[in-house]
Amino acid sequence: MRNPIVRRRAWLAALAACAVACLGTAAPAQDRRQNAPGEFDFYVLALSWSPSYCEQASERGNAGRSQQIQCGGRPFSFVVHGLWPQYERGFPEYCQRPSPRLDRRIMNSMLDLMPAPGLIYNEWDKHGTCAGTPARDYFENIRRARAAVRIPPDFIDAKEPRTVTPAEVEEAFIKVNPGLSESAIAVICDRTRLTEVRICMSKDLQFRACAEVDRRACRRDRLEVPPVRGG
């Protein structure tokens, strides 16, 4: 009969080997480029449903300057959250530390699409520095990407609250954007509300599939769509 101590050591060694193998299988591979500016595969254009953002801010009692600008009198519907460089698996972030200082004039020029100065500065630091372009070119690409996406009519002047399915939101965008497919768009939600639509685009800002982004889409059956505020 084998010594109990020897058997226990063999069992622990086998358990450790299994743990290493299992972790290696489950954990996503680190992209070899590791946050090198300009080295990425595609973009995600993230469009935030502003009324949901404002409801969330109100519930948290958050009345900062950015919330006052976005949630004041102007009737914002979808606003740009960001244009995010992506790998096929994972994404780079904060690719230059410290990040190059963003010219205030560039920030001011983007307030019509991204109505919060803090958001614009943060997007440059976290995502823009990974694009591998000067700040002016990065934000011009945001403007070009946004111009390439048509917003469905039902979401432009949404005066009344309503309830939709994630599939209905996708279908509405696909209907008015030739070339956009289900594999290139993801609807994002919180516990009850539509919060964001994410559209995958190539480096030259053409619609393209993105399996990992699509896997992170909202799985709820129904979503509340708060009405556009102000106006």
Side-chain angles (χ1 to χ4, degrees), residues 21-82:
C22 292
L23 285 172
T25 300
Q30 171 65 45
D31 192 281
R32 61 179 174 76
R33 290 163 286 188
Q34 297 188 10
N35 299 333
E39 297 293 325
F40 62 96
D41 298 314
F42 65 98
Y43 285 114
V44 166
L45 175 66
L47 301 173
S48 172
W49 183 245
S50 182
S52 292
Y53 168 80
C54 292
E55 284 198 359
Q56 292 169 344
S58 177
E59 291 167 358
R60 293 192 301 264
N62 191 339
R65 181 166 178 258
S66 291
Q67 286 72 34
Q68 292 171 1
I69 293 173
Q70 184 169 342
C71 305
R74 183 173 172 182
F76 288 108
S77 53
F78 277 109
V79 298
V80 175
H81 183 173

Side-chain angles (χ1 to χ4, degrees), residues 1-11:
M1 181 179 292
R2 293 181 63 183
N3 187 310
I5 294 177
V6 173
R7 284 186 298 171
R8 179 174 176 79
R9 287 176 177 170
W11 177 79

Side-chain angles (χ1 to χ4, degrees), residues 52 55-56 59 162-164 188-195 218 220 222-226:
S52 292
E55 284 198 359
Q56 292 169 344
E59 291 167 358
R162 60 195 180 105
T163 303
V164 298
I188 309 301
C189 62
D190 62 13
R191 289 179 299 175
T192 61
R193 291 172 291 222
L194 167 69
T195 58
C218 178
R220 297 193 178 278
R222 307 292 293 178
L223 300 177
E224 297 174 7
V225 183

